[in-house]
Amino acid sequence: MTANAEVQAVLDRAADGGRITPQEALDLYRSAPLHALGAAADAVRRRRYAGTEHIATYIIERNINYTNVCVTACKFCAFYAPPKDTAKGWTRDLDDILRRCAETVELGGTQIMFQGGHHPDYGVEYYEKHFSAIKQAFPQLVIHSLGASEVEHMARISGVSAEEAIRRIHAAGLDSFAGAGAELLPERPRKAIAPLKESGERWLEIMEIAHNLGVESTTTMLMGTGETNAERIEHLRMIRDVQDRTGGFRAFIPYTYQPENNHLKGRTQATVFEYLRMIAIARLFLDNVAHIQGSWLTVGKEAGQLALHYGADDLGSVMLEENVVSSAGARHRSNRMELLHLIRAAGRVPAQRATTYEHLVVHDDPANDPVDDHVVSHLSSTAIDGGTAHPELTVIQAS
Ligand code: SF4
């Protein structure tokens, strides 16, 4: 069999739902024709969602950045301030956080993503206090937040095990973990960009503990900081192995590194083609993960639309606030009306989803679309302090 025929045979097997090995995934990632890769991934998506394959989902959420003070100093991060930099560092008080939650509810948001630095004083007690206050005031909001890195940090600060930390913040109101902090799980690229973060194995171990306690999560991949193709596939393998045991990862969300205002300047961002290949290979390789999310904050709207034809079934969020990747140069923004238009222009019917991916509103008739103009103007006149926040209604990657 020729090399091309071998690649096609693996693609055909994957498109039919067969499991592929890490080596086969790497071969496809490197050398399968782009459109053939996308077609195979789309076939898998269509079969998985037979009956609703015409739909692409989104969620309305608010990303609440509670502090940018962080002791972990990841080299790719343009958001954090070291504790001694009191001019750059900030924290939000509980009243401010609750006000943001109230605005989220008012604007039809269903999910809060609590995201911030590893503050040297924030142990389990800080998160218990804030999550319980949010849940008491807004029981309808889903707290889909944090990740294994925050658990490792808060458990260390409080002198408890990761399991106890997870049990306590779950009891206080955390519903599920976002995939933050996964970055790149293999040792070499992880150490190169986040030397003070826990290892990739430890990140997965904590996620596995969470899944076994009934706390599900999503998971991410940061592309374009100098990792090899083999390391990207190894990242997927590590996730798939855990998922075989727990089934707790709801979605996989790759996104691309943004090169501004951090210590990795000069490294190459992943190209749109690399990104689309990753969306497709993730759909084919991660046969045990239900949802693959297109991220267009970092790759752009057209790439987000294309991702829907390369295996993605979800296009992130209408997000009411975001500061982290925006600090590093992500510039792509839109409002809900534009998101609905983009999904339709990509040939899909948009549907607003819940955190757990049930369809809340299927927008199958444009005549019934929500009118968001008042939402956008309301947000534009809403003071969002904290320096770098973007007050408009934005659509970005959510985990
Ligand atoms: S990515 Fe997170 S953990 Fe790393 S420096 Fe930035 S805020 Fe801190």
Side-chain angles (χ1 to χ4, degrees), residues 65-79:
N65 301 120
Y66 50 94
T67 182
N68 69 342
V69 177
C70 186
V71 296
T72 304
C74 301
K75 293 182 181 175
F76 63 87
C77 181
F79 170 75

Side-chain angles (χ1 to χ4, degrees), residues 135-164:
K135 278 291 182 181
Q136 192 173 358
F138 306 103
Q140 67 272 54
L141 281 179
V142 173
I143 304 179
H144 174 72
S145 302
L146 309 182
S149 299
E150 285 82 8
V151 170
E152 181 82 335
H153 177 74
M154 75 174 79
R156 189 185 313 124
I157 298 293
S158 295
V160 301
S161 67
E163 179 171 342
E164 181 179 335

Side-chain angles (χ1 to χ4, degrees), residues 101-163:
C101 291
E103 289 173 355
T104 306
V105 170
E106 188 185 328
L107 299 173
T110 60
Q111 173 176 296
I112 289 294
M113 189 140 80
F114 212 63
Q115 183 184 39
H118 296 170
H119 193 292
D121 299 333
Y122 290 3
V124 178
E125 300 74 17
Y126 170 88
Y127 297 96
E128 285 180 309
K129 173 184 167 186
H130 286 73
F131 291 161
S132 60
I134 292 170
K135 278 291 182 181
Q136 192 173 358
F138 306 103
Q140 67 272 54
L141 281 179
V142 173
I143 304 179
H144 174 72
S145 302
L146 309 182
S149 299
E150 285 82 8
V151 170
E152 181 82 335
H153 177 74
M154 75 174 79
R156 189 185 313 124
I157 298 293
S158 295
V160 301
S161 67
E163 179 171 342

Side-chain angles (χ1 to χ4, degrees), residues 181-233:
E183 326 301 6
L184 288 152
L185 294 168
E187 184 177 0
R188 190 205 65 80
R190 191 173 186 82
K191 280 207 166 132
I193 62 172
L196 300 183
K197 245 176 191 149
E198 71 291 328
S199 69
E201 285 79 13
R202 179 61 178 158
W203 191 93
L204 287 168
E205 188 177 272
I206 292 172
M207 285 289 98
E208 188 159 1
I209 292 169
H211 295 172
N212 288 333
L213 291 171
V215 186
E216 294 188 336
S217 72
T218 50
T219 184
T220 58
M221 173 196 274
L222 173 61
M223 298 177 65
T225 61
E227 74 282 359
T228 65
N229 290 337
E231 287 164 342
R232 289 174 181 171
I233 299 302

Side-chain angles (χ1 to χ4, degrees), residues 287-304:
D287 55 353
N288 52 6
V289 176
H291 302 284
I292 306 295
Q293 181 180 307
S295 161
W296 55 326
L297 172 67
T298 57
V299 294
K301 293 168 188 170
E302 292 81 5

